[in-house]
Amino acid sequence: MPLEIERKFLVKSDAWRDQATHSERLRDGLVARQDGLKVRVRCYGNRTTLCVKSGRRGLSREEFEYDIPRDHAEAIFAHCEGRILEKTRHYVPGESGIWEVDVYHEALEGTIIAEIELPTETTVVKLPDWIGEEVTGDPRYSKANMLTERLRAAKVRELRRACLASQ
């Protein structure tokens, strides 16, 4: 079974930016999520994929990712309304491997999370000085939960504005 073993961290400074070797824009659509299992569609560069991830067990989870035709991906995105994220992923080499620093746009503007994939759960990770709090496994930092919270907050702000305008 293909395993994804990763740790996630908040980013506390922009010191990583000068170290990034390249970047790419990604668009993710959450197709479904239930009991820790999620299905995602992604477009980046010339590649489009469908990915199924199991619930996390420790730092690991099963990950099945398949290339799909772009027109299929676009058709699937049409079913992801309100569950689409856009981000720029920056690749930053470090002593422990390549860090993927995701700078979110639109609904999650201002959110920056760094991830590092590991060969084993016991791999020791040397943290660069720009890395902040670890959020691996923290449900507040799952993409789906972050998006749900931001959309909820936006609706509350919209309702408050409507109430104030009607007074």
Side-chain angles (χ1 to χ4, degrees):
M1 292 292 152
L3 279 183
E4 173 187 64
I5 303 169
E6 71 178 5
R7 291 175 64 187
K8 295 168 75 168
F9 299 84
L10 298 180
V11 174
K12 66 181 182 182
S13 81
D14 282 342
W16 59 270
R17 288 190 183 274
D18 292 337
Q19 302 165 35
T21 58
H22 63 289
S23 305
E24 62 186 339
R25 183 84 177 215
L26 291 90
R27 182 167 53 132
D28 289 344
L30 181 62
V31 178
R33 179 176 75 148
Q34 181 179 350
D35 301 326
L37 179 74
K38 79 174 184 178
V39 179
R40 174 199 76 213
V41 63
R42 172 175 283 171
C43 289
Y44 55 109
N46 293 324
R47 195 164 177 218
T48 51
T49 63
L50 189 66
C51 182
V52 178
K53 293 186 179 192
S54 71
R56 186 178 300 281
R57 284 178 235 111
L59 300 177
S60 304
R61 62 181 165 189
E62 294 171 328
E63 179 182 52
F64 307 91
E65 188 168 34
Y66 307 97
D67 288 320
I68 61 172
R70 173 129 348 224
D71 61 330
H72 291 200
E74 294 301 336
I76 294 169
F77 272 113
H79 299 284
C80 298
E81 186 176 330
R83 299 181 316 274
I84 297 174
L85 297 174
E86 295 206 24
K87 61 188 176 184
T88 300
R89 175 166 285 169
H90 304 271
Y91 296 88
V92 182
E95 289 184 40
S96 300
I98 302 295
W99 289 89
E100 295 175 349
V101 181
D102 290 337
V103 177
Y104 288 87
H105 308 292
E106 298 177 8
L108 294 180
E109 190 76 37
T111 302
I112 303 175
I113 294 180
E115 302 176 352
I116 188 163
E117 292 204 15
L118 306 169
T120 70
E121 286 200 14
T122 57
T123 300
V124 176
V125 177
K126 172 99 170 85
L127 302 179
D129 58 0
W130 47 267
I131 288 290
E133 174 187 354
E134 182 164 9
V135 295
T136 305
D138 185 333
R140 295 175 300 166
Y141 293 96
S142 79
K143 290 176 195 93
N145 288 344
M146 287 191 303
L147 184 58
T148 298
E149 179 56 29
R150 291 282 173 102
L151 293 174
R152 186 197 62 76
K155 282 188 179 185
V156 167
R157 284 191 303 277
E158 185 179 311
L159 286 172
R160 284 185 184 147
R161 276 194 293 264
C163 287
L164 290 173
S166 69
Q167 293 178 348

